Amino acid sequence: AQSVTQLDSQVPVFEEAPVELRCNYSSSVSVYLFWYVQYPNQGLQLLLKYLSGSTLVKGINGFEAEFNKSQTSFHLRKPSVHISDTAEYFCAVSSNTNAGKSTFGDGTTLTVKP
Amino acid sequence: NAGVMQNPRHLVRRRGQEARLRCSPMKGHSHVYWYRQLPEEGLKFMVYLQKENIIDESGMPKERFSAEFPKEGPSILRIQQVVRGDSAAYFCASSPPTSYYEQYFGPGTRLTVT
């Protein structure tokens, strides 16, 4: 079985400040990891993904994440946020043995204040 | 290349009616997944389909829910005799045949049961 825990349900931050959204996962097999962003009343947009290789993954909109196998974490970071980054962010895990079944965290609401 | 398309975007049904949600995958994608998002929660896997086959339906409620992905046409998620607890956003995702874990999401159908 696999699971995802997003450690913060809400993260308020001021514009141009750095931000980190935390994600821990558990799985007994090798995993694929994803971060999605969801704007109000919209679908999910893929921010970035880790499949293999380099543990530092760069995505769209200036976001990046680091896969840490020993800590089973995949935290999302951005060095300087904008008002437009205000949204819900979801971490998800998948694997070869759970083909097709992505498991999502409960989400982190990022609110960027002026 | 058009993305994953879902219709309708919003659907209102009275208790006891049937709801039909449609999903057209991205061109070249042969795998379709349905997820449900209850208010204030993350996405929960429901079912994984390939053309004319249900691969994994472990997340589908045992009664009233069914899904299909026919040889021609969109995938359909069908909910019979809807109840208020079915009110949620239903998201469809699709993936190419060689990398089923790379899922691209549609905008969702927001079902409201009155």
Side-chain angles (χ1 to χ4, degrees), chain B residues 11-110:
Chain B
L11 181 61
V12 180
R13 285 287 177 266
R14 292 195 179 123
R15 279 178 297 171
Q17 291 184 319
E18 178 179 288
R20 280 187 181 234
L21 288 61
R22 296 176 192 79
C23 169
S24 296
M26 287 178 70
K27 188 177 180 180
H29 287 192
S30 56
H31 299 214
V32 165
Y33 316 83
W34 285 94
Y35 292 84
R36 177 165 64 177
Q37 184 181 32
L38 295 170
E40 311 286 323
E41 294 187 14
L43 277 72
K44 297 291 189 283
F45 170 82
M46 299 181 76
V47 63
Y48 165 31
L49 310 107
Q50 295 178 19
K51 287 280 188 184
E52 300 184 283
N53 277 311
I54 296 175
I55 306 302
D56 184 342
E57 57 180 346
S58 58
M60 288 277 272
K62 294 287 184 270
E63 298 177 348
R64 302 187 298 107
F65 284 72
S66 63
E68 62 176 7
F69 188 17
K71 188 176 180 181
E72 302 290 339
S75 175
I76 306 285
L77 178 68
R78 182 182 177 204
I79 311 172
Q80 295 177 291
Q81 299 175 324
V82 296
V83 301
R84 288 220 171 109
D86 297 332
S87 294
Y90 292 82
F91 290 96
C92 168
S94 72
S95 67
T98 54
S99 52
Y100 49 80
Y101 40 77
E102 293 197 51
Q103 298 180 10
Y104 296 84
F105 283 80
T109 294
R110 278 156 182 84

Side-chain angles (χ1 to χ4, degrees), chain A residues 13-19 63 78-83 85 110 112:
Chain A
V13 64
F14 286 105
E15 194 174 17
E16 297 184 5
V19 71
F63 284 94
K78 186 169 182 178
S80 175
V81 294
H82 304 291
I83 297 287
D85 292 322
L110 174 65
V112 181

